[in-house]
């Protein structure tokens, strides 16, 4: 090991290609789909699916190849040279660039998303085989994850959705109500142009056991009893569908439950969810930082057009206020990005990264909101007008500090890690 | 490749420095501050760890190659023990490292073996000037070339060990650019204040005002020789020095505060169990990590001759200085009233923590 900051070649090449996608496939239609909420930009969806298949990835933006194949060797052989795996690092940089294009559109990039991530983290090899291969098919396919409920957001242990085993049919019967499901519509509703997706529903098989009783269930698109009640109207990321879903006597086969059915003290169910989050938090951080970078670049461009150049190197006493703000924003953005990179680098190298994951999310949530809000402020009317995308990026950015653990929840995780506290010692 | 772990050699160095920081510096930090004194024994022990020596090639009497990343790691670790002690141990670097980076062959031969062969001996540098808009790229100390000599005029502040120094590397403004000049002790026109500087913090470190009145030195004493040198990389190195020390000071305050918060009880629980305190700690830890990575990256850019190293070092220093203030302030806050009392280390750490924004030129990687 050593300390190094040279972007690996495959990542550099990938970024050049993705920047073209962001500039040509995303930015030009960003505004249109912000103003026409709930419409689907098929050009982007279909292009991305094709492009990712052609690139040999399949399965969209995931590191599934590494996760589903038999125990991934720590070193990927390439000729005689052995290289450490960089799957998560590739993914984080991809996401950052696509989010720089349009973060809402990044969220509807075809693939398994959080649903597949849950299967990858908590499923058996057979389940992975059964549920994850579909993302390789010829048409775009989606999956989503349903944890949040009207009465249970941050406190995931409070979910009320129940799953009861029907011994006669060996089926789970699920009842409950889920909200804020990203991609819920594309994963569940039948669309001509989409493959058959699924939603992963978290439910309790034993409410008296608390978190230890929580399990995730794969519910295939079209399953009876599932209803999409509405698609939310949001501040930003409007091109991404956010569904409210009710489940009434929904029946799924026994094998659709991820992990083991025995309720043990050791919290396997909940740990599955947490494992998903450790892996995805830096990815959410990356998505926010893409937006922040877009905003900061736009700000600097506009300032330069107006003759304001940032004089790096001057003592702060000699800088204008605007220069100070921009320099601080740059410090925030660059450092947050390095924290994100470190968190995914740890994931790639199989190092436990709960602390780094959550720190990257705390930092990214903070700086993404601050940078976009400040950029709008500094540019005044130019910042506030819908003629430019900056105001949209500020609206898009805010979600970074909310989903996949709010800023507060991630601070709790960080604090518990550094203090060595359990959830009950610091709640 | 991206990679975020010190290599084996670096880790060994960190471990050695860490022992010294923990056992020698940290335990005597407050006493030294109160006595306004650093025992020579303490400094020599730190000197013997060989941080500077390891940065200097064998041909000049050292035993290694300078590596900015390694130096950043070591400096953070040592500053974790105590800032004044660290700056004292490394004062000779302020003179030697710029010579290593930008000196002429003659200057290297002349000074480097001498400085690093024996015990710690004070060679120092003078950059800071006492004005609110002190700018290392627009110094008010003036150098002029007068036939075959250089004439220096001006006033410097916060010069560590100036009184005992064998020679001082004085930075001055030569036709609008900053250049270094080697000024031997006893030069005519060089005067060093009787009294030591009295600052908000860092009182264990002897620092002095230095005045130069028509000090004449030979052209060959210009850093880099008659044709001079590029100041940018030296400045970047100084910024990274300051940033690394800021990391160490912040980490120290964070560790004290974390441990205290787990001990101290209020309202029937440990104060660390209150989110208002726990969140402060989480943010302290997060910001330290953020600025650490920024500093590492800038140092890596220096080692790998990346074009934007100077901006990177500037950003790292700016960010780390802010961070150190924020973290050390909270260190005091978490100690409550006790944080305000000088026998508790977080008090000194906050006074030292304020310094990084202006103490550019007291540490170098
Ligand atoms: C656009 C969008 C997409 C989403 N996508 C998904 C998805 O795909 N799947 C899914 O399952 N969920 C999804 N979510 C839900 C998201 O994860 C939750 O909104 C989030 O976890 C917060 O839960 P909540 O909204 O119920 O807020 P609450 O949990 O009610 O929080 C309210 C406030 O209280 C604070 N708070 C809560 N607990 C604590 C505590 N212990 N200490 C201190 N402060 C606390 C929170 O930080 C917050 O500021 C999405 C949400 C949005 C808006
Ligand atoms: C110079 C000086 C003069 C003083 N003069 C007087 C005086 O004349 N008379 C007198 O009686 N006292 C005096 N005090 C004491 C002062 O009022 C206390 O120091 C102060 O109330 C804090 O108490 P503490 O120091 O015990 O900190 P603690 O109560 O131990 O607090 C430690 C930390 O925990 C935090 N904390 C504590 N409880 C909670 C909670 N429930 N939730 C979240 N955070 C919490 C605090 O904010 C602080 O950050 C003086 C103190 C000083 C330093």
């Amino acid at each position: 090991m050593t300390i190094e900051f040279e972007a690996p070649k495959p990542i550099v090449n990938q970024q050049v290609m993705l920047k073209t996608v962001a500039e040509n496939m995303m930015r030009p239609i960003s505004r249109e789909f912000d103003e026409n909420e709930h419409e689907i930009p098929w050009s982007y969806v279909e292009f991305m699916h094709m492009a990712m298949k052609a690139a040999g990835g399949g399965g969209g933006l995931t590191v599934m190849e590494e996760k589903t194949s038999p125990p991934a060797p720590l070193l990927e052989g390439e000729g005689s040279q052995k290289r450490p795996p960089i799957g998560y690092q590739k993914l984080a940089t991809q996401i950052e660039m696509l989010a720089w294009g349009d973060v809402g559109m990044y969220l509807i990039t075809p693939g398994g998303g959080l649903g597949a991530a849950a299967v990858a983290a908590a499923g058996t090899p057979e389940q992975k085989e059964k549920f994850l291969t579909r993302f390789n098919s010829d048409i775009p396919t989606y999956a989503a994850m349903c944890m949040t409920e009207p009465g249970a957001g941050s406190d995931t242990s409070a979910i009320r959705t129940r799953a009861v085993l029907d011994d006669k049919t060996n089926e789970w019967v699920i009842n409950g109500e889920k909200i804020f499901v990203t991609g819920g519509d594309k994963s569940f509703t039948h669309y001509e142009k989409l493959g058959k997706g699924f939603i992963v529903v978290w439910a309790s098989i034993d409410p008296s056991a608390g978190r230890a009783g929580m399990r995730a269930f794969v519910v295939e698109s079209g399953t009876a009893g599932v209803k999409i009640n509405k698609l939310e109207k949001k501040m930003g990321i409007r091109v991404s569908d956010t569904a409210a879903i009710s489940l009434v006597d929904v029946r799924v086969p026994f094998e659709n439950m991820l992990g083991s059915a025995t309720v043990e003290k050791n919290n396997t169910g909940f740990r599955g969810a947490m494992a998903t989050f450790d892996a995805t938090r830096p990815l959410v951080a990356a998505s926010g930082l893409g937006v922040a970078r877009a905003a900061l670049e736009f700000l600097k461009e506009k300032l330069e057009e107006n003759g304001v150049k940032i004089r790096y190197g001057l003592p702060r006493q000699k800088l204008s206020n605007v220069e100070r703000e921009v320099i601080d924003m740059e410090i925030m953005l660059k450092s947050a990005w390095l924290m994100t990179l470190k968190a995914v680098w740890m994931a790639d190298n199989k190092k436990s990264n709960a602390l780094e994951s959550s720190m990257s999310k705390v930092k990214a949530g903070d700086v993404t909101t601050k940078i976009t809000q400040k950029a709008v402020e500094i540019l005044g009317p130019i910042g506030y007008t819908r003629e430019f995308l900056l105001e949209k990026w500020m609206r898009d950015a805010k979600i970074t500090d909310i989903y996949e653990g709010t800023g507060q929840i991630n601070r709790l995780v960080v604090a518990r890690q550094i203090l060595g506290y359990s959830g009950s010692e610091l709640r | 490749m991206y990679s975020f772990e010190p290599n084996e050699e670096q880790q060994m160095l960190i471990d050695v420095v860490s022992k010294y920081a923990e056992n020698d510096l940290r335990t005597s930090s407050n006493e030294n501050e109160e006595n306004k004194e650093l025992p020579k024994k303490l400094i020599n022990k730190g000197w013997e760890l060989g941080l500077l020596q390891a940065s200097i090639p064998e041909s000049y009497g050292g035993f290694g190659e300078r590596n900015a990343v390694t130096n950043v790691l070591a400096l953070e670790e040592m500053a974790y023990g105590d800032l004044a002690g660290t700056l004292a141990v490394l004062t000779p670097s302020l003179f030697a490292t710029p010579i290593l980076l930008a000196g002429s062959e003659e200057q290297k031969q002349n000074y480097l073996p001498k400085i690093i062969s024996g015990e710690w001996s004070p060679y120092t540098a003078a950059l800071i000037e006492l004005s609110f808009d002190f700018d290392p790229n627009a110094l008010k100390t003036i150098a002029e070339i007068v036939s075959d000599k250089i004439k220096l005029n001006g006033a410097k502040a916060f010069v560590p060990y100036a009184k005992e120094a064998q020679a001082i590397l004085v930075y001055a403004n030569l036709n609008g650019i900053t250049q270094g000049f080697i000024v031997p002790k006893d030069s005519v026109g060089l005067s060093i204040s009787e009294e030591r500087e009295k600052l908000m913090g860092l009182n264990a470190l002897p620092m002095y005002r230095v005045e130069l009145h028509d000090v004449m030195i030979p052209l060959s004493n210009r850093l880099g020789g008659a044709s001079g040198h590029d100041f940018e990389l030296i400045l970047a190195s100084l910024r990274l020095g300051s940033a690394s020390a800021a990391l160490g000071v912040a980490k120290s305050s964070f560790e004290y505060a974390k441990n205290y918060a787990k001990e101290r009880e209020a309202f029937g629980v440990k104060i660390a169990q209150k989110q208002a305190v726990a969140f402060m700690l989480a943010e302290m830890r997060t910001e330290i990590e953020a600025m650490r990575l920024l500093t590492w990256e800038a140092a890596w850019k220096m080692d790998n001759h990346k074009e934007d190293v100077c901006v990177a070092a500037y950003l790292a220093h700016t960010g780390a200085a802010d961070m150190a203030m924020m973290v050390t302030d909270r260190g005091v806050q978490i100690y409550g009233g006790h944080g305000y009392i000088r026998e508790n280390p977080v008090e000194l750490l906050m006074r030292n923590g304020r310094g990084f924004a202006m103490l550019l030129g007291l540490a170098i990687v």
Side-chain angles (χ1 to χ4, degrees), chain B residues 260 264-267 271 274 276-277 280 333-338 340-341:
Chain B
Y260 185 78
R264 179 73 172 173
E265 287 192 6
F267 305 98
I271 57 169
K274 295 286 185 188
V277 171
M280 280 200 274
Q333 188 62 25
I334 289 171
Y335 267 68
H338 301 274
Y340 202 69
I341 308 301

Side-chain angles (χ1 to χ4, degrees), chain B residues 63-115:
Chain B
F63 51 84
E65 289 291 332
R66 171 174 169 276
N67 181 287
V69 170
T70 305
N71 289 343
V72 161
L73 296 170
L75 196 49
E76 171 182 343
E77 202 57 41
M78 202 186 275
Y80 168 76
D82 175 52
L83 182 61
T86 300
L87 297 184
V89 167
L90 295 173
T91 292
S93 314
L94 299 177
F95 187 92
T97 303
I99 287 185
L100 181 70
L101 286 173
S104 66
E105 189 53 37
E106 186 197 333
Q107 288 162 351
K108 291 181 190 173
Q109 296 286 2
N110 231 334
Y111 289 103
L112 296 180
K114 202 153 59 189
I115 294 172

Side-chain angles (χ1 to χ4, degrees), chain B residues 12 30 38 211 237 348:
Chain B
M12 272 160 52
N30 263 46
L38 285 163
E211 285 187 27
S237 255
L348 171 60

Side-chain angles (χ1 to χ4, degrees), chain B residues 143-152 174 181 214-222:
Chain B
E144 289 168 90
I145 296 179
V146 182
S147 66
D148 62 342
K149 296 250 184 221
I150 289 162
K151 186 167 84 177
L152 296 165
L174 178 71
F181 300 94
D214 293 336
V215 172
M216 305 297 285
I217 54 168
L219 271 181
S220 59
N221 276 25
R222 179 176 177 187

Side-chain angles (χ1 to χ4, degrees), chain A residues 1-4 6-7 313-318 335 338 342 345 351 363 411 419 425-427, chain B residues 1-3 5 7 132 135 239 258 262 273 275 283 287 289-290 293 297 306 314-315 318:
Chain A
M1 285 299 161
T2 177
I3 292 171
E4 233 184 286
E6 192 81 64
L314 277 194
R316 283 173 88 70
Q317 291 85 333
K318 286 186 174 177
S335 60
L338 291 175
K342 183 178 176 186
W345 170 82
K351 295 172 189 292
K363 181 76 178 162
R411 275 170 177 75
L419 290 161
E425 286 168 304
L426 179 62
R427 44 177 78 241
Chain B
M1 223 185 38
Y2 295 119
S3 184
E5 227 170 62
N7 64 33
F132 92 95
D135 180 349
R239 287 191 160 127
K258 181 184 78 179
K262 288 180 74 172
Q273 292 179 275
Q275 286 192 353
E283 287 165 8
E287 277 312 294
E289 177 84 354
L293 295 179
E297 187 189 39
K306 299 288 174 189
Y314 173 73
L315 296 179
T318 304

Side-chain angles (χ1 to χ4, degrees), chain A residues 178-408:
Chain A
K178 296 290 181 182
I179 58 170
F180 298 164
V181 184
T182 297
D185 182 50
K186 292 185 190 62
S187 303
F188 193 83
T189 307
H190 174 73
Y191 282 96
E192 203 90 328
K193 297 175 177 176
L194 298 181
K196 181 175 172 157
F198 60 81
I199 56 178
V200 170
V201 176
W202 287 86
S204 177
I205 55 173
D206 181 359
S208 68
R211 283 188 170 147
M214 279 173 57
R215 291 294 183 277
F217 299 85
V218 176
V219 179
E220 295 271 8
S221 161
T223 305
V226 179
K227 192 167 165 251
I228 305 237
N229 291 322
K230 68 169 168 181
L231 301 183
E232 305 287 354
K233 298 175 186 154
K234 305 191 295 295
M235 173 189 282
I237 54 165
R238 292 182 181 166
V239 70
S240 163
D241 54 299
T242 307
I245 299 178
S246 60
L247 301 103
V248 179
D249 293 333
V250 173
R251 290 179 166 266
V252 300
F254 183 86
E255 314 80 68
N256 282 25
M257 189 191 68
L258 304 176
S260 142
T262 29
V263 176
E264 294 147 357
K265 269 260 161 62
N266 69 3
N267 279 6
T268 48
F270 191 65
R271 251 199 238 146
M274 288 302 118
T276 316
F277 288 137
D278 284 351
T280 53
R281 275 175 180 160
L283 301 180
V284 176
S287 74
L289 295 176
V291 185
R293 182 164 66 88
L296 183 52
E297 285 175 8
F298 180 80
L299 170 64
K300 287 172 75 173
E301 234 173 77
K302 284 286 162 210
L303 287 175
E304 200 158 337
E305 274 173 28
N306 288 280
V308 181
K309 257 202 88 151
I310 310 303
R311 294 167 297 167
Y312 297 97
L314 277 194
R316 283 173 88 70
Q317 291 85 333
K318 286 186 174 177
L319 293 171
S320 70
N321 179 57
V322 168
E323 287 174 302
R324 276 189 180 215
E325 298 275 16
V326 170
I327 283 168
D328 289 345
M329 286 154 85
E330 238 163 275
I331 292 168
M332 290 184 222
L333 180 65
K334 287 194 152 82
S335 60
W337 173 241
L338 291 175
M339 294 180 81
T340 306
L341 266 185
K342 183 178 176 186
V344 288
W345 170 82
M346 292 178 83
D348 278 330
N349 289 282
K350 315 269 184 286
K351 295 172 189 292
S352 139
N353 71 346
L355 172 64
E356 285 75 10
S357 259
S358 281
M359 285 203 300
S360 74
K361 176 69 163 60
V362 166
K363 181 76 178 162
D366 275 0
V367 314
T368 303
T369 48
K370 262 187 215 142
I371 287 172
T372 52
Q373 289 166 12
K374 265 285 164 203
V376 169
E377 183 209 313
I378 291 173
L379 288 181
I382 301 287
Y384 207 69
T385 176
R386 282 195 292 171
E387 198 175 315
F388 298 108
L389 288 170
L390 182 58
E391 65 79 30
K392 171 180 178 296
W393 291 333
M394 183 190 122
R395 291 184 284 111
D396 288 348
K398 182 59 198 166
I399 192 62
T400 316
D401 208 20
I402 298 173
Y403 59 11
E404 302 261 328
T406 62
Q408 290 67 44

